[in-house]
Amino acid sequence: MLLVQRTVGVSERRACKVIGQPRASQRYRPRKPDKDRRLRKRMRTLARRHRRYGYRRIWALMRREGWRVNRKHIQRLWREEGLQVLRRARKRRRLGSSDNSATRLQATHKNHVWSYDFIMDQTEDGRRLKMLPVLDEYTREPHAILVDRSLKAEDIVDLLAYLFSVHGEPAFIRSDNGPEFIAEAVKAWLARSGVGTLYIEPGSPWENPYSESFNSRFRDELLNQELFTSL
């Protein structure tokens, strides 16, 4: 019909009348049943639950749940649904003034540098939860997350003693200057174990980026999504 209009130079109405074809046929659009309705619904649910996940990780979760779907199919639906990973504004990279920062002293192998930093939450009754993730900066593996109402220097020593027996001693441990980390009990025990301490510059959390990054994801993907009823 479009070819007739262009060749003869007439309107759609005139061309349909001459050919004897209903004008409604020019506006018909076939409607296919949405076979992916359940798939889309589940994908949106998982995307809301895991805000940091892209379509690849959502696809992996759905495969584990038993959905027989390939990655490219999920990618297409992901785009059609307008889903995206929530990204934070990129901050200007800072080197830090301390020689103990992760930029100036980077981990080059497993058990080279571990790092830790506290993260806080609470149970539904308003009581505090204090957590201490300990991770290897080279492998990015969190070896443990110690959780209690309060944590003291002795608790840190007990945790590190256990982790050293399982994974071996690191060359260094990076942390801020929190009272639990600079306590004599911790410093003396680490010195006896042959582990160096890397204390970052006060007020410079970017010098301990691996712990900062892990704790940020830990909060986004778990702590902000769940309500804890007890310790």
Side-chain angles (χ1 to χ4, degrees), residues 71-126:
R71 180 175 56 83
K72 290 185 177 180
H73 191 178
I74 291 296
Q75 182 183 20
R76 177 176 62 81
L77 297 180
W78 186 270
R79 289 176 177 173
E80 290 178 1
E81 293 293 322
L83 297 172
Q84 59 182 351
V85 177
L86 296 179
R87 299 185 182 276
R88 296 185 176 182
R90 183 178 294 275
K91 297 181 180 179
R92 185 177 62 181
R93 187 179 183 188
R94 306 181 187 182
L95 292 177
S97 58
S98 170
D99 290 336
N100 294 338
S101 69
T103 304
R104 298 184 185 276
L105 199 161
Q106 297 182 354
T108 58
H109 56 271
K110 182 179 180 180
N111 280 353
H112 183 194
V113 182
W114 290 7
S115 62
Y116 49 23
D117 193 12
F118 290 113
I119 184 170
M120 305 301 220
D121 202 44
Q122 63 182 21
T123 47
E124 66 174 348
D125 58 5

Side-chain angles (χ1 to χ4, degrees), residues 5 26 38 46 52 59 76 143-144 159 161 163 183 225:
Q5 289 180 248
Q26 301 304 306
R38 291 179 59 249
L46 290 174
R52 291 284 190 98
W59 168 72
R76 177 176 62 81
H143 290 321
L159 173 64
L163 294 180
Q225 305 295 325

Side-chain angles (χ1 to χ4, degrees), residues 5 24 27 65 92 105 108 122 129-130 165 201 207:
Q5 289 180 248
R27 293 172 173 76
E65 292 179 355
R92 185 177 62 181
L105 199 161
T108 58
Q122 63 182 21
L129 286 175
K130 192 171 186 178
S165 68
E201 192 72 16
E207 293 188 354

Side-chain angles (χ1 to χ4, degrees), residues 39-67 69-71 73-75 77-78 83-85:
L39 186 63
R40 291 173 186 268
K41 182 178 179 181
R42 184 56 182 162
M43 185 179 67
R44 289 194 299 267
T45 300
L46 290 174
R48 286 194 299 268
R49 182 179 304 170
H50 304 283
R51 299 186 301 160
R52 291 284 190 98
Y53 284 16
Y55 75 88
R56 290 183 178 86
R57 297 181 74 179
I58 295 297
W59 168 72
L61 289 179
M62 299 186 74
R63 293 281 292 184
R64 292 177 194 170
E65 292 179 355
W67 293 87
V69 59
N70 62 46
R71 180 175 56 83
H73 191 178
I74 291 296
Q75 182 183 20
L77 297 180
W78 186 270
L83 297 172
Q84 59 182 351
V85 177

Side-chain angles (χ1 to χ4, degrees), residues 105-203:
L105 199 161
Q106 297 182 354
T108 58
H109 56 271
K110 182 179 180 180
N111 280 353
H112 183 194
V113 182
W114 290 7
S115 62
Y116 49 23
D117 193 12
F118 290 113
I119 184 170
M120 305 301 220
D121 202 44
Q122 63 182 21
T123 47
E124 66 174 348
D125 58 5
R127 298 176 64 194
R128 183 175 70 169
L129 286 175
K130 192 171 186 178
M131 287 160 274
L132 181 64
V134 181
L135 63 148
D136 187 309
E137 290 191 0
Y138 184 76
T139 64
R140 314 292 176 87
E141 177 186 0
H143 290 321
I145 302 178
L146 183 63
V147 185
D148 212 326
R149 298 295 183 184
S150 64
L151 294 172
K152 300 178 181 178
E154 292 76 12
D155 300 316
I156 296 177
V157 170
D158 291 342
L159 173 64
L160 293 178
Y162 167 73
L163 294 180
F164 288 2
S165 68
V166 175
H167 302 282
E169 296 87 354
F172 301 97
I173 292 185
R174 196 187 323 272
S175 71
D176 60 23
N177 294 269
E180 297 88 352
F181 302 138
I182 64 175
E184 285 302 321
V186 174
K187 294 169 65 176
W189 186 84
L190 288 175
R192 290 195 300 271
S193 301
V195 179
T197 54
L198 300 174
Y199 294 115
I200 65 174
E201 192 72 16

